[in-house]
Amino acid sequence: MHPPRQLFAVGPGRLALKEMPELLRQLDQDEVRVRAVLSAISHGTEMRLIRGTTPSFQKRWDPLRRIYCTDGQSKTYPCALGYETVGEVIETGSAVKSVFVGDLVWIDRPHAEMHIVRAEDAAHGRLGNVTAQRGVF
């Protein structure tokens, strides 16, 4: 099995798939491994990251006030793209009781083939009978 890959903007107009061998490590007891099925594209946000025109390259995002501040920056290259992923749980840690292999879950993670997340986060995003296509929206 090749290491899972993740999509990055590595400079203005340049994208790269980076191998993430750390995602093949053994799970902690409270973690789950999720194989991505779909990830949503946020066209405006991601194009600004790819083009290098996003405010977060010049300013710092303050999540409490929900504004950009001039005292720093939030992002630099390389930066991961994406933040909405639906995936299938393919492995669970030994103490996980809230999520099961085969469950479809929504997770707040970038475009990548695989993720390791806390079971609590995966359980919060369990889709039940919702399709992957509907789950990313």
Side-chain angles (χ1 to χ4, degrees), residues 5 20 35 69 84 99 117 129:
R5 297 168 297 178
M20 308 293 284
R35 180 187 55 82
C69 303
E84 304 258 357
V99 183
V117 299
N129 293 326

Side-chain angles (χ1 to χ4, degrees), residues 67-115:
I67 60 171
Y68 282 102
C69 303
T70 58
D71 63 341
Q73 66 189 78
S74 299
K75 292 190 180 287
T76 59
Y77 288 120
C79 62
L81 297 173
Y83 55 87
E84 304 258 357
T85 296
V86 168
E88 178 184 3
V89 174
I90 59 171
E91 184 182 357
T92 63
S94 61
V96 174
K97 305 288 186 230
S98 57
V99 183
F100 304 95
V101 170
D103 282 350
L104 273 183
V105 296
W106 173 91
I107 53 176
D108 183 9
R109 294 295 186 277
H111 302 306
E113 294 173 320
M114 185 181 295
H115 297 281

Side-chain angles (χ1 to χ4, degrees), residues 20-75:
M20 308 293 284
E22 62 271 22
L23 296 177
L24 296 176
R25 68 168 172 79
Q26 185 171 352
L27 296 176
D28 290 342
Q29 66 179 7
D30 64 340
E31 293 178 323
V32 299
R33 192 177 322 274
V34 177
R35 180 187 55 82
V37 174
L38 287 173
S39 59
I41 295 172
S42 179
H43 180 265
T45 301
E46 293 184 53
M47 287 306 297
R48 291 181 95 184
L49 287 167
I50 293 166
R51 291 179 179 143
T53 59
T54 182
S56 53
F57 283 144
Q58 291 83 31
K59 299 178 182 177
R60 178 185 59 82
W61 176 252
D62 182 332
L64 294 176
R65 295 185 291 167
R66 301 197 50 76
I67 60 171
Y68 282 102
C69 303
T70 58
D71 63 341
Q73 66 189 78
S74 299
K75 292 190 180 287

